[in-house]
Amino acid sequence: MRPTKLVMSAFGPYADRIELDLSQLKEQGLYLITGDTGAGKTTIFDAIAFALYGEASGDLRSAAMLRSQYAKEKTETFVELDFLFQGQQYHIRRSPQYSYQRTLKNGTVRTSNKALSAELVYPDGHAISGNASVTKAVNTLLGLDRSQFAEIAMIAQGSFQQLLNADTKKRNEIFRQLFHTDRFKQLQEQLKSDARALQDSLGQARHDIARLTDSIQVQPQTIEEETKGKFVSAGEDVSVDEVIAFLLNLNTQNSAQIQSLQKEHAELSAQQKACSTELGRSETVRLQHQKYCTAVAGLPGLKQESEQKANDYAALIKSGEQLQIDQGKAELGAEEQRLSDYEQLSALQKSQSDLNRQDEAAGESCRRLQTMAETQKNSLESKRKTAEELAHAGEQLVKLQAEAAVLNDRKVHIDLARTKRLDGVKQQRIYVQAAAKLKQDSIQWSRLDHEYAHLLTAFLAGQAGLLAKDLEDGSPCPVCGSRSHPHLRTADTQTPSEDQVKQSEEKRNQANEQARNSGTAVAAAKEKTESEVRAYQEELKLLGLDPADLKDEQISTAETELQEQIKANADSTAAITALVRQYNALQTEIPSLMKQMEETTLKQNQAIQDHTRIQTELANIRQQIETQRKKLVYESYDAARTALTEKQQALKQRTDHLEALRSASETAENSYRSALQVKQQLEETLSEADRLSTAEQLDERSAETRQKEQLLEQQIAALQKQLDLLNASVLVNEPVLKSLKKLSAQSSDYLQRCQLMQSLASTADAGIKGKEKITLEDYVQMAYFDAILSRANLRLRQLSGGQYDLVRSQASGSQSHNALDLDVIDHYTGRQRSVRTLSGGESFQASLALALGLSDEVQSRAGGIEMDCMFIDEGFGTLDHAALDQAVQVLEKLSGSHRLIGIISHVEELSGRISRKIIVTKNSDGTGSAARIEVDS
């Protein structure tokens, strides 16, 4: 990457636009940036770094500080950089975020903010924008971030000896940022964290083993309970293998005992089942014996009741009750059929009532529509008559509006005339005041002119007396040259001074100027007054008034008459406007009313037809009702229905009575037969011994069987309790055994990994006893440092004439706190000593060599990227002639055939040796700096 053009605007000390064609500096060799102190030499490096990465070349200036303090408020701050990379041209423009003052039109000063912006244009013309996006693109394009670029291409002011004289701690920070060795420090911390995590996991596994050991279920007051107590007392130190072996044996014993108890439980359950069966049979026999005894005791009574019920039913049938009931049902059926005739009568009566209401409504509708039609007819005639009367109202309104326009125009001219008159009166007052002032100023001028003439005469006379005082006869007069002086003037003691005469003359001239100004003002006021009067007279002519009469009375009279005319016109216009609105409304209402009349007529005809039809239907219904009434016995359907209901109830009572006797006879017969059948069935079911046994004997046998069953239940419950305890132990202990086996494997794995990880962590963090106390990050940085020193010594040997080599100090490598300390080997003395013992010039040589070595190493670590430019800021002032010559030779050799190196320096000898220069100067008017390129031929 090599810059070809740099443009700076309002940047740093450069208030205006500065454009530097860097292509004039060629493609290789050295060029010098020189000029006034503080003029902005380093700012050129800042501008290049800012254009590429949005930051200055050093760490002391932020992007927000780059706005020029000398810039005008409208001058934008930006940097543009054209550069070549791999033979192709790129353009970048970047502007920092800054605040500036701007002055508004009303004089208010306001602070405005300019946003950060950036744009990168590629060789093919496409562009990307946005500060972060452009910086990322530059990083990708060059293969370097800002820190790497600074170390490879820019050796900033003050950074030479920073690395040379830094202690190990400071170099740690520099290398950590430069070579990103913080990842090794992070690895150290991660190894320690992982070791702690494994140790925690191992401790947690041992804690879980102790917890699970305590949860093992054992039978109380057994040898197993005693063994478990020993395990629990051991806590987290318990042997998991011993616990697993104990638990395996315990589970085997519990399983065998469970099988034995289950067998005994099954035998007792079978005996209990037999007892339950016997109890069930005994209860059945007892119930059947009870039913048998009940059946035998109740048979005589049931037989007697059955015979009595049968006799009662037979007697009622014999009396003819059933025949009478059948005849009554036939008669009721005939009467129910005649009810339809009554229903038909009710329907006819309801229809008659509905038609009566319809007839009344139809008659009312006819009357209402007749009234509506007459009302609409009268309204239509009235509206037509009114419309004829109002037909000419529109023409009258147009005339009144035209008259109003004329009156309004006259009002405008009256108002204008009154305004002109007031302006004329006001201007006349101004004229009178100006004339009075002119008179006063003229009097003042006349008085001062008289005073001046008097003082001047007295002064001249006094001068003649002064000349005469020194004249002698025979000596020439200095005024006329005469040697005879017959009439000498005597000196006056009241002669005014020359200053008094000048002051009087100045007052007279001022008064004269004031009088002339007052005269001009009077003339202008008079002309303005006459102009206003003429304008007023023109308005009077337009109003038809006397232009010679300049009084206000005729304007007031004309205005009063006009107001009366305007009011009369407005009243008439309002009245006629109302009539026009009424006429327009009638033009809409009349057609609408005619349409309503047509609709009303149609409705009226339809209502008459409906009324006639309803009256015809009503006459037919009345005739049908009369005919139906002649055929019926009762007056109405309700009367017929009531009589029929009474007959139905009487017949139902007789029917229900007969049916009750029949049902009672059948029920008594069935009860007797059922009891007899039960007796016979139980005689077949029960043995003779059971039938002959008493209830007490049966209860006693059941009690004996129930007592035996209860004893078996107690034995089974005791067995079940033992089984539940054993099953619960197995249910708990089997998952415990499974978890213990898993934890045993995990704890073994954690132990192995923990030992390994702790060893790694101790190694990385310099924690192994008997070994060098060097952390992993220090070890890596030592490797980088050795590589840098190897490259630096190639330069230092040339710069020092082979006298010096840089090496890590003899104590380096034993402790982290001095692992990166730096010494120098003096080949002239054969001794190794601290770099802090070097002289100023030697320190600069070592610093430059170290900086160049660092640049080479960073460049190598960045993928072997070739940078076509380098910038070195200051430091050459401490070198003598020979050392300076060696430094220049090294840099020229470093530039080779393709690298351009820029040097910032005040050293005059460099200015004589380097022909290509960027010269920076401060503006003489204190408005910032300027820069230009000079190339000696």
Side-chain angles (χ1 to χ4, degrees), residues 32 34 906-915 917 936:
L32 183 66
T34 186
H906 297 87
V907 178
E908 291 296 332
E909 190 172 349
L910 283 177
S911 180
R913 294 191 55 172
I914 300 176
S915 61
K917 305 179 186 68
D936 297 339

Side-chain angles (χ1 to χ4, degrees), residues 47 143 225 378 451 631 675:
E225 184 180 34
N378 294 334
E451 290 178 359
K631 297 190 301 182

